Amino acid sequence: MIPRITLVVASLATVASASQPGAPAPVAAPMRELEWGQINFLHTTDIHGWLGGHLQEPQYSADYGDYISFASHMRQKADEKGVDLLVIDTGDRIEGNGLYDASDPKGKYTYDIFREQSIDALCTGNHELYLEASVDREHNTTVPNFKKSYIASNLDYIEPETGNQIPQAQRYLKLKTKNQGFNVVALGFLFNFDRNANNSVVQPVEETMKEEWFQNAIREKPDLFLVIGHVGLRMKEYETIFKVIRDQNWYTPIAFLGGHAHVRDARKFDDNAFAIASGRYFETIGWMSIDGIKKKSQNQASIEAAVTFRRKYIDNNLFGLYYHTGLNETTFPTDHGRNVSNMITEGRKALKLDNSFGCAPKDLWMSRAPYPADNSIFSWLETQVLPDSIVNEERKNVSRLAIVNTGAIRFDIFQGAFTRDSTFLISPFVSKFNYIADVPYAVASKVLELLNSGGQVFGAGSLDTKHLTIPEQVAPSPFLYTSTAEKGPVSPMSIFVEDDAQQKPLGGKGDGGEPELIGGYTTHDDLGDDGDDAVHSPIKFYAVPNCIQSKIAFPPPEEGQDKAKDPETVDLVFIDYVQPWIIKALQFSGGDFGTDDVKVYSNNTLTDVIASWVKEHWKNDC
Ligand SMILES: *[C@@H]1O[C@H](CO)[C@@H](O)[C@H](O)[C@H]1NC(C)=O
Ligand SMILES: *[C@@H]1O[C@H](CO)[C@@H](O)[C@H](O)[C@H]1NC(C)=O
Ligand SMILES: *[C@@H]1O[C@H](CO)[C@@H](O)[C@H](O)[C@H]1NC(C)=O
Ligand SMILES: *[C@@H]1O[C@H](CO)[C@@H](O)[C@H](O)[C@H]1NC(C)=O
Ligand SMILES: *[C@@H]1O[C@H](CO)[C@@H](O)[C@H](O)[C@H]1NC(C)=O
Ligand SMILES: *[C@@H]1O[C@H](CO)[C@@H](O)[C@H](O)[C@H]1NC(C)=O
């Protein structure tokens, strides 16, 4: 299908740099227009602390202050048009950026910055639930900051003082839109997550839907159901929720806003029910608009609707934000937005996030390079960082296998300054290294393959090996190449379009006033190929394994021999997150080991390990 795209080449006037000092100026690109409807949404998800924007990538260099200015202008536009705009966030606001992770306590700056946006509906992600302190803070800070709009349809909190189990926030929300008075019933879900800290309770979606409040909510007869959730669009939870609401309401439009999978995606459930997911790390501001919604009068239970859903994935940079608002560097920033940008600058300064640890000699990619390869971040870890760093003084002569799951790495390394911030972008987790001593090599050497082939050994529950890899690969859209064959790039974030005829003519050399296309998302979803607001040249994405492994301190070949003899036994060292899988894999390989055999190998986190390695090996100033 050749998608219908309207391209507008925006003016090439120089654009001011983004609000964070040092952020690169955005690069002009041919733009697609946002299409307004009666109800319109701005959507963020999986921000993971990136409120300062991307300081090494021009196409995502706007910050949260800019987003506040943007939302305020868009609300004003909605008022002028007599339509409605709702601002949504679907969780995983924390973990993954120095602005959150580098402070003590974590999030010292981010909760106050986040609350500055006026948000109409928000919910919880799995990252808000890994640690008891994060759960508490969500309950005692974010929920009260958004008292009217926080929804927790399937999440409870255990009060520390009483042990009482109470809803983390209201179960659902009834709202009336400002300009047209549409009645909206909004629900807020988390996928069936089961690794949460035990001061929280995640109720499986299927159970929640049997609750009386839920059954009442879906009988409210609103003009629109809004289901927000930290749920991948292709995960079964959304399918289930759709069916139950639809069975009760044959024609009512249902809008889903999802997340967790870190992708741009749109899914059609039926003619009147669509979903969008808006990427990750504050790279994307999602835009969804719905037209053709009919108001239900009281005695009219259901009207056959014929609604139109549209969507755009807005690259979060000032060029685009100016473009969509028709404003410029003088007229765009609001006082409020500027103040919030200043809060971010202050926080970054206090946390010394720009302190340089060294200079990365080249880009190292998670999935933009094949694995293994010279420019793969996983090859770099496996061949350089781990062998130099995974050392326990008492066991340093013992041959060892060190296993790290690829999901422990969250972001790429860019050539140039490697800062304190970079360490948290790459790996924000607090996991340490454990080990099992003296594992027969014949047993230990089988573990990696089991972890990477997944399958029946681990089942489909919480030990499903998909939990080991990067979120982009967990619940892929059917448009993505799923083959891991050498030639077929998988494209967890956007498809690599090989015959990309509609885009090539635009990739001019800059003559004739046409900008050269910058590499970026080229999303393919249920609504077609025209979702990205800026036209990009495609980037290839490759599949990564679940885990990588370094062989460390193995004996060299004996004199006159080509090949070394394998050691009898090794220490099996692993990042503690993968421990449940390691035990299972060892047992399957004939090793009778359990949690009692596990000891601490190193109290350093992967973040510490990487930071020390960079200080030692990439000393140069940029
Ligand atoms: C909120 O929870 C955190 C983490 O448990 C705690 O340190 C903090 O004191 C709590 N704040 C309030 C206002 O209760
Ligand atoms: C939470 O779970 C851990 C590990 O199972 C347990 O040691 C701890 O006592 C539990 N805490 C509470 C408050 O139940
Ligand atoms: C920004 O727009 C305003 C109003 O249209 C105009 O007066 C001003 O000259 C513009 N500024 C720049 C830097 O383009
Ligand atoms: C912005 O900050 C200034 C100085 O702190 C303050 O006077 C002003 O009220 C703030 N404006 C908004 C809209 O937040
Ligand atoms: C480790 O090996 C070195 C060199 O072979 C040796 O000098 C040292 O004593 C050994 N240390 C331990 C703890 O076995
Ligand atoms: C890790 O930290 C604990 C608690 O501080 C300490 O007892 C232990 O020796 C440390 N282990 C290693 C391997 O450094």
Side-chain angles (χ1 to χ4, degrees):
M1 181 186 86
I2 307 279
R4 183 188 55 82
I5 51 174
T6 317
L7 296 174
V8 180
V9 179
S11 118
L12 278 171
T14 342
V15 190
S17 55
S19 292
Q20 284 312 295
V27 179
M31 299 294 286
R32 300 181 176 104
E33 303 281 344
L34 302 182
E35 295 158 297
W36 287 78
Q38 291 166 310
I39 301 187
N40 307 276
F41 297 94
L42 291 178
H43 176 216
T44 52
T45 191
D46 298 83
I47 287 180
H48 286 289
W50 289 72
L51 301 172
H54 290 233
L55 282 90
Q56 290 179 298
E57 292 178 285
Q59 62 272 47
Y60 315 121
S61 53
D63 70 14
Y64 206 68
D66 299 320
Y67 182 43
I68 284 171
S69 300
F70 181 61
S72 140
H73 295 304
M74 295 298 273
R75 281 203 162 92
Q76 201 179 332
K77 266 178 178 281
D79 291 349
E80 285 160 16
K81 291 172 190 286
V83 300
D84 289 294
L85 181 75
L86 299 173
V87 177
I88 312 290
D89 181 82
T90 48
D92 274 10
R93 291 173 282 276
I94 70 167
E95 299 184 336
N97 187 288
L99 191 59
Y100 175 84
D101 292 278
S103 66
D104 184 15
K106 288 176 187 293
K108 191 168 157 192
Y109 302 93
T110 54
Y111 291 96
D112 287 344
I113 295 164
F114 190 79
R115 73 177 292 183
E116 292 295 318
Q117 180 66 290
S118 157
I119 299 181
D120 298 287
L122 73 165
C123 62
T124 310
N126 51 307
H127 276 263
E128 278 86 13
L129 303 182
Y130 281 111
L131 303 174
E132 289 195 16
S134 326
V135 177
D136 286 341
R137 192 145 332 256
E138 202 57 16
H139 190 80
N140 72 28
T141 306
T142 315
V143 171
N145 285 348
F146 294 96
K147 216 162 178 39
K148 288 207 180 117
S149 49
Y150 205 116
I151 319 176
S153 293
N154 65 334
L155 177 63
D156 287 344
Y157 177 65
I158 312 276
E159 283 184 314
E161 309 82 23
T162 61
N164 288 345
Q165 180 171 339
I166 58 168
Q168 172 70 311
Q170 62 205 314
R171 294 294 189 211
Y172 76 107
L173 194 61
K174 286 200 273 184
L175 54 93
K176 201 183 234 342
T177 65
K178 177 184 167 195
N179 289 324
Q180 297 154 104
F182 284 122
N183 290 311
V184 178
V185 163
L187 297 151
F189 279 97
L190 173 64
F191 71 93
N192 295 347
F193 176 59
D194 60 4
R195 301 192 67 154
N196 50 307
N198 48 14
N199 57 343
S200 62
V201 177
V202 181
Q203 188 181 39
V205 165
E206 298 74 14
E207 295 303 311
T208 301
M209 291 190 303
K210 292 178 195 154
E211 302 258 343
E212 195 184 338
W213 73 260
F214 181 88
Q215 290 297 325
N216 292 338
I218 63 173
R219 287 171 175 80
E220 292 273 5
K221 306 297 171 203
D223 305 314
L224 173 76
F225 281 103
L226 170 62
V227 183
I228 71 163
H230 195 77
V231 181
L233 305 192
R234 314 280 165 178
M235 291 170 78
K236 69 167 190 338
E237 286 88 340
Y238 262 1
E239 185 82 44
T240 316
I241 295 168
F242 161 71
K243 283 191 179 130
V244 172
I245 298 179
R246 182 55 84 223
D247 278 354
Q248 190 60 45
N249 303 270
W250 288 9
Y251 304 116
T252 312
I254 313 172
F256 289 83
L257 297 169
H260 184 58
H262 288 194
V263 295
R264 295 178 171 189
D265 196 11
R267 178 173 182 188
K268 174 179 176 172
F269 288 101
D270 69 15
D271 285 346
N272 294 318
F274 277 81
I276 67 162
S278 303
R280 57 167 200 181
Y281 304 154
F282 206 34
E283 291 169 347
T284 303
I285 300 168
W287 170 260
M288 180 193 250
S289 66
I290 315 174
D291 237 346
I293 305 171
K294 294 194 187 66
K295 223 178 258 183
K296 289 194 182 92
S297 59
Q298 273 162 348
N299 49 10
Q300 208 176 1
S302 59
I303 314 173
E304 194 163 349
V307 296
T308 311
F309 283 81
R310 297 195 175 92
R311 55 80 188 93
K312 279 285 172 295
Y313 311 105
I314 300 171
D315 278 1
N316 184 31
N317 66 65
L318 285 178
F319 177 82
L321 302 188
Y322 295 167
Y323 179 78
H324 294 306
T325 49
L327 298 170
N328 63 31
E329 61 182 281
T330 345
T331 51
F332 178 83
T334 62
D335 274 355
H336 187 202
R338 261 192 242 270
N339 282 3
V340 173
S341 293
N342 287 339
M343 289 170 79
I344 297 168
T345 310
E346 292 305 311
R348 289 186 55 83
K349 215 183 279 172
L351 295 169
K352 301 184 166 59
L353 295 183
D354 290 326
N355 276 17
S356 181
F357 285 7
C359 188
K362 61 178 178 191
D363 297 333
L364 291 169
W365 303 112
M366 289 170 63
S367 45
R368 285 167 65 170
Y371 166 84
D374 274 355
N375 57 348
S376 156
I377 195 167
F378 299 112
S379 296
W380 170 72
L381 279 176
E382 183 177 290
T383 61
Q384 300 188 53
V385 180
L386 298 178
D388 287 345
S389 315
I390 301 301
V391 182
N392 173 312
E393 273 310 310
E394 286 166 24
R395 309 283 300 174
K396 69 178 178 197
N397 285 7
V398 182
S399 301
R400 53 200 174 272
L401 296 174
I403 293 180
V404 169
N405 64 307
T406 52
I409 296 292
R410 303 294 285 212
F411 203 58
D412 307 312
I413 294 176
F414 296 95
Q415 180 176 14
F418 189 101
T419 61
R420 180 165 152 77
D421 199 17
S422 310
T423 59
F424 295 104
L425 309 186
I426 293 165
S427 188
F429 301 107
V430 292
S431 298
K432 300 175 186 331
F433 288 89
N434 287 347
Y435 78 114
I436 298 176
D438 306 319
V439 179
Y441 184 68
V443 173
S445 59
K446 288 187 188 133
V447 169
L448 181 73
E449 202 188 318
L450 281 169
L451 298 177
N452 281 339
S453 57
Q456 285 85 16
V457 185
F458 302 99
S462 62
L463 279 190
D464 190 324
T465 51
K466 75 182 181 199
H467 298 302
L468 293 168
T469 190
I470 58 176
E472 290 80 355
Q473 253 170 238
V474 173
S477 122
F479 298 113
L480 310 178
Y481 296 135
T482 48
S483 141
T484 50
E486 286 124 71
K487 271 199 65 200
V490 288
S491 168
M493 303 156 216
S494 66
I495 194 155
F496 171 62
V497 186
E498 297 213 40
D499 184 17
D500 201 19
Q502 87 276 14
Q503 295 198 346
K504 283 220 172 87
L506 289 158
K509 294 277 180 294
D511 42 315
E514 281 176 8
E516 218 166 329
L517 293 185
I518 186 168
Y521 291 109
T522 50
T523 310
H524 191 65
D525 61 27
D526 282 8
L527 286 168
D529 296 336
D530 61 354
D532 305 293
D533 77 328
V535 180
H536 298 128
S537 61
I539 291 172
K540 288 189 202 187
F541 293 98
Y542 297 87
V544 302
N546 295 329
C547 292
I548 56 167
Q549 169 178 279
S550 299
K551 287 179 162 185
I552 307 169
F554 270 53
E558 282 169 30
E559 274 206 52
Q561 303 282 316
D562 287 348
K563 269 184 69 183
K565 273 216 311 239
D566 288 330
E568 288 288 303
T569 61
V570 291
D571 284 351
L572 184 62
V573 184
F574 48 86
I575 199 157
D576 63 23
Y577 177 86
V578 300
Q579 183 165 315
W581 288 274
I582 297 274
I583 303 280
K584 189 99 184 181
L586 281 172
Q587 286 166 352
F588 187 79
S589 314
D592 186 16
F593 296 98
T595 43
D596 291 350
D597 301 304
V598 175
K599 283 176 276 191
V600 175
Y601 196 80
S602 160
N603 284 321
N604 289 335
T605 63
L606 186 61
T607 315
D608 300 330
V609 162
I610 293 172
S612 309
W613 191 93
V614 166
K615 281 184 193 158
E616 173 83 21
H617 293 82
W618 288 348
K619 283 185 190 132
N620 292 349
D621 242 357
C622 284

